[in-house]
PDB file of all heavy atoms in Angstrom:
ATOM      1  N   HIS B 185      25.789 -12.823  28.009  1.00  0.00           N
ATOM      2  CA  HIS B 185      25.582 -12.553  26.593  1.00  0.00           C
ATOM      3  C   HIS B 185      26.837 -12.778  25.750  1.00  0.00           C
ATOM      4  O   HIS B 185      26.802 -12.653  24.536  1.00  0.00           O
ATOM      5  CB  HIS B 185      25.097 -11.112  26.400  1.00  0.00           C
ATOM      6  CG  HIS B 185      26.036 -10.083  26.963  1.00  0.00           C
ATOM      7  ND1 HIS B 185      26.128  -9.825  28.316  1.00  0.00           N
ATOM      8  CD2 HIS B 185      26.939  -9.294  26.359  1.00  0.00           C
ATOM      9  CE1 HIS B 185      27.040  -8.885  28.510  1.00  0.00           C
ATOM     10  NE2 HIS B 185      27.555  -8.557  27.350  1.00  0.00           N
ATOM     11  N   VAL B 290      14.887  -6.776  14.283  1.00  0.00           N
ATOM     12  CA  VAL B 290      14.695  -6.262  15.644  1.00  0.00           C
ATOM     13  C   VAL B 290      14.009  -4.908  15.578  1.00  0.00           C
ATOM     14  O   VAL B 290      14.401  -4.059  14.780  1.00  0.00           O
ATOM     15  CB  VAL B 290      16.042  -6.069  16.378  1.00  0.00           C
ATOM     16  CG1 VAL B 290      15.809  -5.744  17.841  1.00  0.00           C
ATOM     17  CG2 VAL B 290      16.919  -7.293  16.210  1.00  0.00           C
ATOM     18  N   LEU B 348      11.773  -5.582   5.682  1.00  0.00           N
ATOM     19  CA  LEU B 348      13.132  -6.049   5.429  1.00  0.00           C
ATOM     20  C   LEU B 348      13.545  -5.736   3.993  1.00  0.00           C
ATOM     21  O   LEU B 348      14.691  -5.398   3.721  1.00  0.00           O
ATOM     22  CB  LEU B 348      13.197  -7.559   5.694  1.00  0.00           C
ATOM     23  CG  LEU B 348      14.525  -8.286   5.558  1.00  0.00           C
ATOM     24  CD1 LEU B 348      15.578  -7.645   6.443  1.00  0.00           C
ATOM     25  CD2 LEU B 348      14.363  -9.747   5.955  1.00  0.00           C
ATOM     26  N   GLY B 366       8.597 -15.509  -0.537  1.00  0.00           N
ATOM     27  CA  GLY B 366       8.732 -14.731   0.690  1.00  0.00           C
ATOM     28  C   GLY B 366       9.574 -13.504   0.466  1.00  0.00           C
ATOM     29  O   GLY B 366       9.375 -12.766  -0.505  1.00  0.00           O
ATOM     30  N   ASN B 389      18.800 -32.316  24.178  1.00  0.00           N
ATOM     31  CA  ASN B 389      18.197 -33.222  25.153  1.00  0.00           C
ATOM     32  C   ASN B 389      17.120 -34.125  24.591  1.00  0.00           C
ATOM     33  O   ASN B 389      16.644 -35.013  25.280  1.00  0.00           O
ATOM     34  CB  ASN B 389      17.609 -32.409  26.315  1.00  0.00           C
ATOM     35  CG  ASN B 389      18.671 -31.548  26.964  1.00  0.00           C
ATOM     36  OD1 ASN B 389      19.581 -32.042  27.629  1.00  0.00           O
ATOM     37  ND2 ASN B 389      18.583 -30.252  26.735  1.00  0.00           N
ATOM     38  N   THR B 399       1.935 -29.519  28.905  1.00  0.00           N
ATOM     39  CA  THR B 399       0.825 -30.457  28.771  1.00  0.00           C
ATOM     40  C   THR B 399       1.003 -31.254  27.495  1.00  0.00           C
ATOM     41  O   THR B 399       1.932 -31.023  26.727  1.00  0.00           O
ATOM     42  CB  THR B 399      -0.525 -29.710  28.713  1.00  0.00           C
ATOM     43  OG1 THR B 399      -0.592 -29.023  27.451  1.00  0.00           O
ATOM     44  CG2 THR B 399      -0.664 -28.711  29.841  1.00  0.00           C
ATOM     45  N   ASP B 434       1.862 -17.005  42.888  1.00  0.00           N
ATOM     46  CA  ASP B 434       3.097 -17.652  43.368  1.00  0.00           C
ATOM     47  C   ASP B 434       4.337 -17.170  42.630  1.00  0.00           C
ATOM     48  O   ASP B 434       5.410 -17.082  43.227  1.00  0.00           O
ATOM     49  CB  ASP B 434       2.996 -19.174  43.214  1.00  0.00           C
ATOM     50  CG  ASP B 434       1.756 -19.706  43.914  1.00  0.00           C
ATOM     51  OD1 ASP B 434       1.308 -19.065  44.893  1.00  0.00           O
ATOM     52  OD2 ASP B 434       1.232 -20.762  43.482  1.00  0.00           O
ATOM     53  N   PRO B 456      -8.752 -11.572  23.974  1.00  0.00           N
ATOM     54  CA  PRO B 456      -9.941 -11.179  24.743  1.00  0.00           C
ATOM     55  C   PRO B 456      -9.671 -11.191  26.252  1.00  0.00           C
ATOM     56  O   PRO B 456      -9.011 -12.077  26.782  1.00  0.00           O
ATOM     57  CB  PRO B 456     -10.975 -12.237  24.343  1.00  0.00           C
ATOM     58  CG  PRO B 456     -10.580 -12.635  22.966  1.00  0.00           C
ATOM     59  CD  PRO B 456      -9.087 -12.590  22.969  1.00  0.00           C
ATOM     60  N   GLY B 481      -1.590 -16.451  22.987  1.00  0.00           N
ATOM     61  CA  GLY B 481      -0.899 -15.371  22.284  1.00  0.00           C
ATOM     62  C   GLY B 481       0.592 -15.364  22.554  1.00  0.00           C
ATOM     63  O   GLY B 481       1.254 -16.401  22.487  1.00  0.00           O
ATOM     64  N   GLY B 491     -10.768  -0.627  40.564  1.00  0.00           N
ATOM     65  CA  GLY B 491     -10.448   0.793  40.629  1.00  0.00           C
ATOM     66  C   GLY B 491      -9.878   1.303  39.320  1.00  0.00           C
ATOM     67  O   GLY B 491      -9.653   2.498  39.157  1.00  0.00           O
ATOM     68  N   ALA B 547     -16.402  -3.452  15.328  1.00  0.00           N
ATOM     69  CA  ALA B 547     -15.412  -4.498  15.590  1.00  0.00           C
ATOM     70  C   ALA B 547     -15.776  -5.778  14.835  1.00  0.00           C
ATOM     71  O   ALA B 547     -14.937  -6.398  14.194  1.00  0.00           O
ATOM     72  CB  ALA B 547     -15.317  -4.759  17.085  1.00  0.00           C
ATOM     73  N   PRO B 557      -4.116  -9.908  10.457  1.00  0.00           N
ATOM     74  CA  PRO B 557      -4.923  -9.956  11.690  1.00  0.00           C
ATOM     75  C   PRO B 557      -4.884  -8.714  12.573  1.00  0.00           C
ATOM     76  O   PRO B 557      -5.436  -8.761  13.666  1.00  0.00           O
ATOM     77  CB  PRO B 557      -4.323 -11.154  12.450  1.00  0.00           C
ATOM     78  CG  PRO B 557      -3.446 -11.857  11.494  1.00  0.00           C
ATOM     79  CD  PRO B 557      -2.995 -10.855  10.503  1.00  0.00           C
ATOM     80  N   ASP B 590      -9.499   8.892  39.179  1.00  0.00           N
ATOM     81  CA  ASP B 590      -8.315   8.678  38.356  1.00  0.00           C
ATOM     82  C   ASP B 590      -8.535   7.333  37.676  1.00  0.00           C
ATOM     83  O   ASP B 590      -8.843   6.359  38.354  1.00  0.00           O
ATOM     84  CB  ASP B 590      -7.058   8.635  39.243  1.00  0.00           C
ATOM     85  CG  ASP B 590      -5.768   8.563  38.432  1.00  0.00           C
ATOM     86  OD1 ASP B 590      -5.759   7.944  37.344  1.00  0.00           O
ATOM     87  OD2 ASP B 590      -4.764   9.136  38.879  1.00  0.00           O
TER      88      ASP B 590
END
Side-chain angles (χ1 to χ4, degrees):
Chain B
H185 58 284
V290 189
L348 183 56
N389 303 290
T399 70
D434 305 332
D590 186 327

